[in-house]
Amino acid sequence: MDAPDLQAIDCILYTVPDAELDAAKEEFETVLGLDRVWERDGQVGYKLEQHADGVGEIVLSTDTDVPDGLVHYLVEDAERAIEYYADHDYEVVHGPIDIGVGTVATVQNSWGHEFEIMDLE
């Protein structure tokens, strides 16, 4: 099986304590000058300058059970990518999960680096 193409970075997720989310939003909007593109309970997404179709966001999340700075890569088929990485001794840490717009899973390599793979199907 060929390696899955990591097509783009969907987002980089930064964790913030729930009590600090409003201050973090203010900083990302005023200091960094980012435009908010969506918000839901405990999360907010900011577009980068060359943002296209929801790809290339910075996401703030109050879910501190995920690693800070977690990178989400888009792939064509998350299920196939999970199988490929598992066959190459990557640990599937979480998922796969249907997120409504696709599938996401967290994998970890032998050095302990975690990243998420997701498709938008």
Side-chain angles (χ1 to χ4, degrees), residues 49-114:
E49 185 62 31
Q50 296 187 16
H51 181 272
D53 297 327
V55 177
E57 297 177 338
I58 293 177
V59 174
L60 300 178
S61 176
T62 58
D63 181 359
T64 55
D65 290 334
V66 296
D68 190 47
L70 187 65
V71 176
H72 295 67
Y73 293 104
L74 286 177
V75 295
E76 186 174 320
D77 182 339
E79 295 283 347
R80 191 182 80 69
I82 292 164
E83 181 182 337
Y84 174 85
Y85 290 124
D87 287 347
H88 287 82
D89 297 324
Y90 281 54
E91 179 184 351
V92 179
V93 177
H94 191 255
I97 298 171
D98 179 354
I99 57 171
V101 296
T103 302
V104 66
T106 306
V107 296
Q108 182 181 69
N109 66 20
S110 61
W111 299 284
H113 301 137
E114 288 186 16

XYZ file of all heavy atoms in Angstrom, residues 49-114:
509
model
N -4.201 34.038 6.131
C -4.363 34.932 4.984
C -4.769 34.208 3.702
O -5.607 34.670 2.956
C -3.069 35.716 4.746
C -3.168 36.754 3.658
C -4.177 37.858 3.929
O -4.388 38.204 5.108
O -4.766 38.357 2.963
N -4.186 33.043 3.459
C -4.507 32.326 2.228
C -5.445 31.155 2.498
O -5.377 30.125 1.845
C -3.218 31.895 1.525
C -2.418 33.088 1.076
C -1.228 32.715 0.225
O -1.122 31.620 -0.289
N -0.321 33.656 0.062
N -6.332 31.336 3.439
C -7.348 30.361 3.825
C -8.236 30.027 2.627
O -8.685 30.910 1.915
C -8.188 31.003 4.931
C -9.275 30.167 5.479
N -10.527 30.137 4.949
C -9.303 29.346 6.545
C -11.299 29.349 5.650
N -10.573 28.854 6.634
N -8.457 28.748 2.396
C -9.321 28.332 1.286
C -10.161 27.139 1.712
O -9.621 26.130 2.168
C -8.478 27.959 0.070
N -11.462 27.258 1.591
C -12.382 26.152 1.896
C -12.141 25.531 3.264
O -12.146 24.313 3.413
C -12.288 25.064 0.818
C -12.725 25.566 -0.543
O -13.623 26.435 -0.592
O -12.177 25.101 -1.546
N -11.895 26.341 4.280
C -11.732 25.815 5.626
C -10.371 25.210 5.900
O -10.156 24.639 6.953
N -9.446 25.314 4.967
C -8.127 24.715 5.145
C -7.134 25.804 5.535
O -7.130 26.883 4.967
C -7.660 24.017 3.847
C -6.268 23.448 4.006
C -8.646 22.925 3.468
N -6.304 25.503 6.491
C -5.272 26.435 6.915
C -5.743 27.330 8.044
O -5.524 28.530 8.032
N -6.379 26.765 9.045
C -6.889 27.526 10.172
C -6.007 27.359 11.396
O -5.269 26.394 11.523
C -8.298 27.042 10.553
C -9.331 27.242 9.495
C -10.675 26.673 9.898
O -10.745 25.787 10.779
O -11.656 27.125 9.316
N -6.160 28.306 12.297
C -5.669 28.157 13.661
C -6.907 28.004 14.519
O -7.850 28.794 14.408
C -4.835 29.364 14.102
C -3.543 29.430 13.282
C -4.531 29.282 15.600
C -2.687 30.635 13.586
N -6.939 26.974 15.347
C -8.100 26.707 16.181
C -7.683 26.791 17.640
O -6.684 26.185 18.039
C -8.698 25.312 15.873
C -9.827 24.979 16.841
C -9.182 25.251 14.436
N -8.449 27.535 18.419
C -8.284 27.554 19.864
C -9.320 26.618 20.452
O -10.483 26.652 20.042
C -8.512 28.966 20.419
C -7.605 30.067 19.911
C -7.998 31.399 20.532
C -6.155 29.744 20.221
N -8.913 25.783 21.393
C -9.825 24.810 21.987
C -9.598 24.727 23.489
O -8.459 24.747 23.955
C -9.607 23.428 21.372
O -10.416 22.463 22.010
N -10.690 24.621 24.221
C -10.591 24.446 25.668
C -10.430 22.982 26.059
O -10.335 22.669 27.237
C -11.830 25.043 26.378
O -13.006 24.412 25.877
C -11.902 26.546 26.167
N -10.378 22.082 25.083
C -10.154 20.662 25.345
C -8.667 20.447 25.587
O -7.887 20.294 24.654
C -10.633 19.811 24.169
C -10.449 18.314 24.410
O -9.934 17.924 25.486
O -10.812 17.530 23.519
N -8.278 20.425 26.844
C -6.857 20.307 27.185
C -6.385 18.853 27.248
O -5.266 18.594 27.664
C -6.551 21.032 28.516
O -7.414 20.505 29.536
C -6.768 22.539 28.382
N -7.238 17.917 26.810
C -6.834 16.509 26.753
C -6.107 16.173 25.457
O -5.728 15.028 25.244
C -8.047 15.583 26.895
C -8.623 15.605 28.306
O -7.869 15.892 29.253
O -9.825 15.335 28.445
N -5.933 17.151 24.575
C -5.190 16.941 23.330
C -3.875 17.712 23.424
O -3.786 18.703 24.140
C -5.998 17.399 22.087
C -7.249 16.563 21.929
C -6.329 18.863 22.149
N -2.856 17.270 22.718
C -1.572 17.973 22.778
C -1.686 19.394 22.211
O -2.354 19.627 21.209
C -0.652 17.128 21.892
C -1.324 15.815 21.745
C -2.786 16.064 21.896
N -1.054 20.335 22.853
C -1.026 21.713 22.368
C -0.221 21.769 21.073
O 0.833 21.149 20.960
C -0.385 22.623 23.418
C -0.549 24.085 23.092
O -1.669 24.493 22.749
O 0.452 24.818 23.177
N -0.726 22.495 20.096
C -0.042 22.609 18.816
C -0.282 21.427 17.899
O 0.456 21.216 16.941
N -1.333 20.650 18.153
C -1.635 19.466 17.349
C -1.955 19.868 15.910
O -2.798 20.721 15.669
C -2.827 18.718 17.952
C -3.184 17.375 17.339
C -2.067 16.358 17.558
C -4.482 16.852 17.944
N -1.259 19.256 14.962
C -1.451 19.555 13.543
C -2.410 18.525 12.953
O -2.290 17.332 13.200
C -0.102 19.524 12.780
C -0.319 19.726 11.286
C 0.831 20.581 13.339
N -3.373 19.024 12.162
C -4.347 18.182 11.469
C -4.009 18.212 9.977
O -4.031 19.281 9.363
C -5.765 18.727 11.649
C -6.264 18.699 13.052
N -5.737 19.475 14.051
C -7.263 17.988 13.601
C -6.395 19.236 15.167
N -7.332 18.343 14.915
N -3.691 17.046 9.413
C -3.393 16.945 7.985
C -4.601 16.392 7.241
O -5.227 15.433 7.699
C -2.213 16.002 7.735
C -0.903 16.507 8.259
C -0.359 15.986 9.430
C -0.185 17.486 7.583
C 0.858 16.432 9.911
C 1.040 17.938 8.054
C 1.550 17.410 9.226
O 2.754 17.859 9.697
N -4.886 16.961 6.094
C -5.924 16.417 5.233
C -5.353 15.282 4.394
O -4.233 15.383 3.886
C -6.459 17.493 4.290
C -7.357 18.549 4.907
C -7.750 19.576 3.851
C -8.592 17.929 5.529
N -6.123 14.216 4.286
C -5.797 13.089 3.412
C -7.044 12.772 2.595
O -8.150 13.201 2.930
C -5.345 11.839 4.208
C -4.042 12.095 4.953
C -6.422 11.356 5.161
N -6.861 12.019 1.534
C -8.009 11.671 0.701
C -8.952 10.706 1.411
O -10.170 10.822 1.322
C -7.535 11.058 -0.613
C -8.667 10.806 -1.582
C -8.170 10.344 -2.934
O -7.149 10.881 -3.416
O -8.807 9.444 -3.490
N -8.377 9.724 2.127
C -9.178 8.686 2.765
C -8.568 8.374 4.135
O -7.542 7.699 4.230
C -9.179 7.443 1.865
C -10.018 6.304 2.401
O -10.306 6.255 3.612
O -10.376 5.434 1.593
N -9.205 8.864 5.194
C -8.657 8.692 6.540
C -8.592 7.227 6.952
O -7.614 6.804 7.576
C -9.474 9.493 7.547
N -9.595 6.448 6.616
C -9.591 5.021 6.990
C -8.389 4.296 6.372
O -7.724 3.505 7.035
C -10.896 4.344 6.549
C -12.137 4.872 7.252
C -12.298 4.364 8.669
O -11.602 3.411 9.071
O -13.148 4.932 9.378
N -8.107 4.561 5.114
C -6.957 3.946 4.450
C -5.653 4.434 5.078
O -4.720 3.660 5.292
C -6.960 4.243 2.949
C -5.945 3.414 2.175
C -5.920 3.730 0.697
N -5.165 4.926 0.371
C -3.835 5.054 0.475
N -3.117 4.056 0.920
N -3.239 6.172 0.144
N -5.593 5.719 5.412
C -4.390 6.272 6.040
C -4.153 5.641 7.411
O -3.017 5.309 7.754
C -4.507 7.785 6.154
N -5.215 5.432 8.169
C -5.097 4.790 9.478
C -4.518 3.382 9.317
O -3.601 2.991 10.037
C -6.477 4.717 10.176
C -6.947 6.122 10.537
C -6.433 3.811 11.400
C -8.421 6.200 10.862
N -5.038 2.654 8.370
C -4.537 1.303 8.107
C -3.062 1.335 7.721
O -2.256 0.548 8.211
C -5.367 0.656 6.991
C -4.948 -0.753 6.661
C -5.768 -1.347 5.522
O -6.901 -0.887 5.278
O -5.251 -2.279 4.873
N -2.699 2.260 6.852
C -1.310 2.382 6.408
C -0.392 2.687 7.599
O 0.632 2.029 7.789
C -1.187 3.479 5.349
C 0.240 3.743 4.948
C 0.861 2.977 3.971
C 0.983 4.746 5.577
C 2.181 3.200 3.620
C 2.300 4.971 5.229
C 2.895 4.200 4.257
O 4.211 4.422 3.917
N -0.744 3.687 8.389
C 0.111 4.053 9.517
C 0.191 2.935 10.547
O 1.267 2.667 11.099
C -0.351 5.364 10.151
C -0.104 6.549 9.258
C -1.137 7.396 8.888
C 1.166 6.821 8.763
C -0.911 8.481 8.061
C 1.401 7.900 7.935
C 0.357 8.721 7.584
O 0.583 9.793 6.764
N -0.916 2.252 10.818
C -0.897 1.123 11.758
C 0.022 0.012 11.254
O 0.761 -0.591 12.039
C -2.316 0.606 11.983
N 0.019 -0.227 9.939
C 0.917 -1.224 9.349
C 2.383 -0.831 9.457
O 3.270 -1.666 9.296
C 0.580 -1.453 7.869
C -0.704 -2.231 7.673
O -1.232 -2.808 8.654
O -1.201 -2.251 6.522
N 2.635 0.463 9.697
C 4.006 0.957 9.831
C 4.331 1.327 11.274
O 5.150 2.211 11.544
C 4.226 2.139 8.883
C 4.305 1.698 7.458
N 3.192 1.455 6.693
C 5.376 1.408 6.677
C 3.555 1.057 5.489
N 4.878 1.003 5.454
N 3.685 0.623 12.204
C 3.955 0.713 13.639
C 3.638 2.071 14.265
O 4.205 2.426 15.297
C 5.402 0.310 13.953
C 5.663 -1.138 13.589
O 4.741 -1.957 13.760
O 6.770 -1.434 13.115
N 2.741 2.826 13.648
C 2.226 4.021 14.304
C 1.060 3.573 15.175
O 0.279 2.702 14.794
C 1.723 5.043 13.285
C 2.793 5.862 12.627
C 3.870 5.271 11.975
C 2.722 7.250 12.646
C 4.838 6.032 11.362
C 3.684 8.022 12.027
C 4.744 7.406 11.396
O 5.702 8.170 10.789
N 0.946 4.183 16.334
C -0.170 3.873 17.222
C -1.359 4.759 16.863
O -1.202 5.971 16.683
C 0.237 4.130 18.668
C -0.877 3.862 19.660
C -0.493 4.217 21.085
O 0.683 4.513 21.351
O -1.398 4.218 21.928
N -2.519 4.147 16.748
C -3.740 4.930 16.577
C -4.198 5.304 17.983
O -4.680 4.464 18.747
C -4.825 4.139 15.818
C -6.089 4.975 15.681
C -4.308 3.715 14.445
N -3.987 6.562 18.346
C -4.239 7.040 19.703
C -5.720 7.291 19.936
O -6.237 7.047 21.028
C -3.436 8.334 19.975
C -3.724 8.906 21.346
C -1.948 8.079 19.800
N -6.399 7.772 18.910
C -7.807 8.136 19.067
C -8.503 8.047 17.717
O -7.964 8.503 16.721
C -7.878 9.572 19.608
C -9.231 9.976 20.068
N -10.018 10.824 19.339
C -9.935 9.659 21.166
C -11.156 11.017 19.986
N -11.130 10.319 21.092
N -9.672 7.457 17.709
C -10.446 7.411 16.481
C -10.325 6.080 15.784
O -9.768 5.128 16.320
N -10.857 6.007 14.605
C -11.434 7.080 13.795
C -12.810 7.506 14.299
O -13.549 6.717 14.871
C -11.541 6.464 12.402
C -11.668 5.002 12.647
C -10.882 4.723 13.902
N -13.103 8.776 14.070
C -14.356 9.367 14.498
C -15.000 10.073 13.312
O -14.316 10.798 12.577
C -14.121 10.402 15.622
C -13.503 9.736 16.849
C -15.411 11.109 16.002
C -13.046 10.722 17.888
N -16.290 9.873 13.157
C -17.055 10.613 12.151
C -17.345 11.988 12.733
O -17.939 12.102 13.807
C -18.356 9.873 11.834
C -19.210 10.593 10.808
O -18.879 11.724 10.405
O -20.232 10.017 10.408
N -16.900 13.036 12.057
C -17.090 14.397 12.552
C -18.141 15.159 11.753
O -18.198 16.384 11.803
C -15.751 15.170 12.575
C -15.104 15.196 11.197
C -14.826 14.602 13.636
C -13.908 16.121 11.087
N -18.951 14.451 11.019
C -20.010 15.088 10.264
C -19.595 15.525 8.873
O -20.337 15.340 7.932
N -18.416 16.097 8.747
C -17.901 16.513 7.436
C -16.837 15.555 6.931
O -16.271 15.754 5.868
C -17.335 17.956 7.458
C -18.427 18.958 7.750
C -16.184 18.072 8.447
N -16.545 14.522 7.720
C -15.518 13.562 7.343
C -15.140 12.686 8.520
O -15.907 12.513 9.460
N -13.925 12.169 8.465
C -13.412 11.251 9.489
C -12.073 11.768 9.977
O -11.266 12.272 9.195
C -13.234 9.843 8.883
O -14.496 9.417 8.366
C -12.745 8.845 9.918
N -11.822 11.618 11.274
C -10.562 12.072 11.862
C -10.031 10.997 12.812
O -10.804 10.260 13.426
C -10.740 13.426 12.595
C -11.643 13.277 13.805
C -9.399 14.027 12.988
N -8.699 10.919 12.903
C -8.039 10.019 13.855
C -6.706 10.639 14.248
O -6.085 11.366 13.471
C -7.816 8.643 13.246
N -6.277 10.335 15.453
C -4.974 10.779 15.941
C -4.027 9.588 15.911
O -4.372 8.505 16.387
C -5.073 11.310 17.383
O -6.085 12.313 17.447
C -3.746 11.892 17.853
N -2.848 9.795 15.328
C -1.829 8.754 15.282
C -0.546 9.279 15.927
O -0.349 10.487 16.049
C -1.552 8.274 13.832
C -2.781 7.616 13.232
C -1.072 9.399 12.954
N 0.285 8.343 16.342
C 1.538 8.703 17.016
C 2.659 7.837 16.470
O 2.512 6.615 16.357
C 1.392 8.478 18.516
C 2.616 8.852 19.323
C 2.385 8.585 20.792
O 2.298 7.431 21.204
N 2.258 9.645 21.567
N 3.787 8.485 16.127
C 4.918 7.710 15.628
C 5.765 7.210 16.788
O 5.457 7.463 17.961
C 5.739 8.517 14.614
C 6.422 9.720 15.204
O 6.627 9.839 16.414
N 6.792 10.664 14.355
N 6.833 6.483 16.491
C 7.645 5.850 17.537
C 8.400 6.857 18.406
O 8.893 6.500 19.465
C 8.621 4.859 16.910
O 9.490 5.522 16.019
N 8.486 8.119 17.973
C 9.137 9.152 18.782
C 8.155 9.888 19.677
O 8.512 10.816 20.375
C 9.851 10.180 17.897
C 10.920 9.571 17.068
C 12.163 9.175 17.480
C 10.831 9.255 15.697
N 12.855 8.627 16.433
C 12.054 8.673 15.314
C 9.848 9.399 14.731
C 12.313 8.246 14.029
C 10.103 8.976 13.445
C 11.320 8.408 13.119
N 6.885 9.492 19.605
C 5.873 10.126 20.444
C 5.211 11.345 19.832
O 4.439 12.024 20.491
N 5.496 11.641 18.559
C 4.861 12.778 17.891
C 3.446 12.398 17.472
O 3.263 11.427 16.746
C 5.647 13.211 16.653
C 7.044 13.607 16.960
N 8.096 13.217 16.179
C 7.569 14.340 17.961
C 9.225 13.693 16.681
N 8.920 14.372 17.774
N 2.480 13.175 17.921
C 1.089 12.937 17.544
C 0.670 13.929 16.472
O 1.092 15.088 16.481
C 0.160 13.090 18.748
C 0.270 11.969 19.735
C -0.766 12.052 20.843
O -1.772 12.797 20.699
O -0.567 11.378 21.863
